[in-house]
Amino acid sequence: MSTTARAVPATVAVVGGGTMGAGIVQQFLTAGADVVLAEATEEAARSGRARVAAGLDGARERGKLDEAPSQVLARLRTVTDIADLPADAGLVVEAVPERPELKIAVLTAAERVVGAGAVLASNTSSLSVTDLAAALTRPERFLGTHFFNPVPASKLVEIVTAPQTAPDVLASVRGWVTALGKTEIVVRDAPGFATSRLGVTLGLEAIRMVEEGVASPADIDTAMELGYRHPMGPLRLTDLVGLDVRLAIAEHLAAELGDRFAPPELLRRMVAEGRLGRKTGQGFHTWDEGEHKRE
């Protein structure tokens, strides 16, 4: 078990077993927590568990996991009803798609199940945590925890506070992030927070450059990687995040902050055509079968 096990909640619940949710589950499992993953159906729960298992196997192969993957996975339980989340969960992380009504439904249902001392967190990358908190009975126990994809490899967690977030809740979550081996930044609630606002700005301009024929996606990415020392170019990153996700964030920011975040027509067209990036095998770049299957 990790030496950081005592620093994370003994029991953690994660709602949503997609790419992000599975990565969050993996992180807390490897830190020693017992984790309950909630999904809508048995099939989705099996898929989520399989993602976690694949992530643990990969971590073991890279020498990043001390325990056998099967031992770690034994601490994971799946459920198909939020009512079955553990009442003693110290933390519940919501990791469902970026739809306010869905997130509110998940968070309010979870709040009814867990104890009054539990912390609720949303993995939103752009939605207002203040608006989400307004639907809760205990808004002071809620904040945003914006993990990054791929969760196990990313070193950053953006913690987003609402005006009601209690100082002790923020302090606890900062400690848990450190225990996961990550670095936190703290941002007050604002459209796009810090990371999405800056990242989307660069990504949308890169898409406009492709649309205008300024340069190829590969050359634009290389320019930022070598010229500005970005670890990944903005178009490859868009593929990794998902063009549909980037479009949804851009539309939200455009509504909140104005036309400078208006999505380029090329982005809308690619999403309509199903070219969503790595998860479909084709976006601004072509992803090979192995990379595609990892999604």
Side-chain angles (χ1 to χ4, degrees), residues 82-105:
I82 291 177
D84 293 328
L85 292 180
D88 64 345
L91 170 67
V92 179
V93 181
E94 165 273 304
V96 300
E98 292 282 276
R99 300 202 304 272
E101 68 284 357
L102 176 59
K103 290 183 179 292
I104 288 172

Side-chain angles (χ1 to χ4, degrees), residues 202-286:
L202 181 59
L204 294 180
E205 191 59 30
I207 295 169
R208 292 186 189 99
M209 290 170 67
V210 174
E211 193 171 50
E212 295 166 8
V214 173
S216 70
D219 284 348
I220 291 170
D221 281 347
T222 299
M224 299 310 296
E225 290 164 7
L226 301 184
Y228 288 85
R229 298 187 180 182
H230 288 199
M232 183 182 297
L235 296 167
R236 185 167 290 275
L237 180 59
T238 296
D239 276 3
L240 186 63
V241 170
L243 275 70
D244 53 338
V245 174
R246 181 133 286 180
L247 175 60
I249 294 171
E251 288 177 330
H252 172 71
L253 291 178
E256 294 289 332
L257 298 173
D259 287 345
R260 68 186 187 275
F261 288 99
E265 183 57 37
L266 175 59
L267 176 59
R268 294 188 184 280
R269 185 166 68 249
M270 292 177 70
V271 170
E273 293 171 354
R275 292 186 287 162
L276 306 182
R278 176 180 168 181
K279 59 189 169 185
T280 61
Q282 184 65 54
F284 289 99
H285 299 274
T286 299

Side-chain angles (χ1 to χ4, degrees), residues 87-90 110-120 138 140-141 169:
D88 64 345
E111 187 183 41
R112 290 193 292 269
V113 175
V114 298
V119 174
L120 270 66
R138 300 185 292 273
E140 71 280 1
R141 307 297 301 171
V169 169

Side-chain angles (χ1 to χ4, degrees), residues 12 19 41 77 79 84 97 136 159 166 188 192 216 239 250 262-263 266 273-274 285:
V12 174
T19 300
T41 66
R77 180 167 65 90
V79 298
D84 293 328
L136 299 175
I159 300 174
R188 73 169 178 83
S216 70
D239 276 3
L266 175 59
E273 293 171 354
H285 299 274

Side-chain angles (χ1 to χ4, degrees), residues 11-287:
T11 303
V12 174
V14 177
V15 183
T19 300
M20 296 301 298
I24 295 167
V25 168
Q26 180 181 332
Q27 287 287 274
F28 280 102
L29 285 174
T30 56
D34 292 326
V35 181
V36 176
L37 170 63
E39 259 293 2
T41 66
E42 291 286 356
E43 181 180 359
R46 284 194 297 271
S47 296
R49 187 180 185 89
R51 290 186 186 96
V52 176
L56 292 170
D57 288 340
R60 181 71 170 187
E61 291 170 4
R62 295 188 298 274
K64 302 292 186 181
L65 185 66
D66 296 333
E67 295 180 85
S70 59
Q71 287 181 291
V72 180
L73 199 62
R75 295 195 288 272
L76 173 63
R77 180 167 65 90
T78 60
V79 298
T80 56
D81 191 330
I82 291 177
D84 293 328
L85 292 180
D88 64 345
L91 170 67
V92 179
V93 181
E94 165 273 304
V96 300
E98 292 282 276
R99 300 202 304 272
E101 68 284 357
L102 176 59
K103 290 183 179 292
I104 288 172
V106 166
L107 290 166
T108 54
E111 187 183 41
R112 290 193 292 269
V113 175
V114 298
V119 174
L120 270 66
S122 174
N123 186 51
T124 181
S125 57
S126 64
L127 297 178
S128 169
V129 298
T130 303
D131 290 348
L132 297 177
L136 299 175
T137 302
R138 300 185 292 273
E140 71 280 1
R141 307 297 301 171
F142 173 74
L143 42 58
T145 50
H146 179 199
F147 287 82
F148 289 77
N149 186 25
V151 175
S154 175
K155 295 297 184 182
L156 178 67
V157 177
E158 184 178 38
I159 300 174
V160 186
T161 61
Q164 307 97 316
T165 303
D168 66 304
V169 169
L170 173 60
S172 294
V173 173
R174 293 184 75 164
W176 298 338
V177 169
T178 299
L180 295 177
K182 301 187 184 300
T183 298
E184 85 282 0
I185 63 169
V186 179
V187 181
R188 73 169 178 83
D189 190 23
F193 315 141
T195 55
S196 292
R197 191 162 168 177
L198 290 171
V200 169
T201 298
L202 181 59
L204 294 180
E205 191 59 30
I207 295 169
R208 292 186 189 99
M209 290 170 67
V210 174
E211 193 171 50
E212 295 166 8
V214 173
S216 70
D219 284 348
I220 291 170
D221 281 347
T222 299
M224 299 310 296
E225 290 164 7
L226 301 184
Y228 288 85
R229 298 187 180 182
H230 288 199
M232 183 182 297
L235 296 167
R236 185 167 290 275
L237 180 59
T238 296
D239 276 3
L240 186 63
V241 170
L243 275 70
D244 53 338
V245 174
R246 181 133 286 180
L247 175 60
I249 294 171
E251 288 177 330
H252 172 71
L253 291 178
E256 294 289 332
L257 298 173
D259 287 345
R260 68 186 187 275
F261 288 99
E265 183 57 37
L266 175 59
L267 176 59
R268 294 188 184 280
R269 185 166 68 249
M270 292 177 70
V271 170
E273 293 171 354
R275 292 186 287 162
L276 306 182
R278 176 180 168 181
K279 59 189 169 185
T280 61
Q282 184 65 54
F284 289 99
H285 299 274
T286 299
W287 299 79

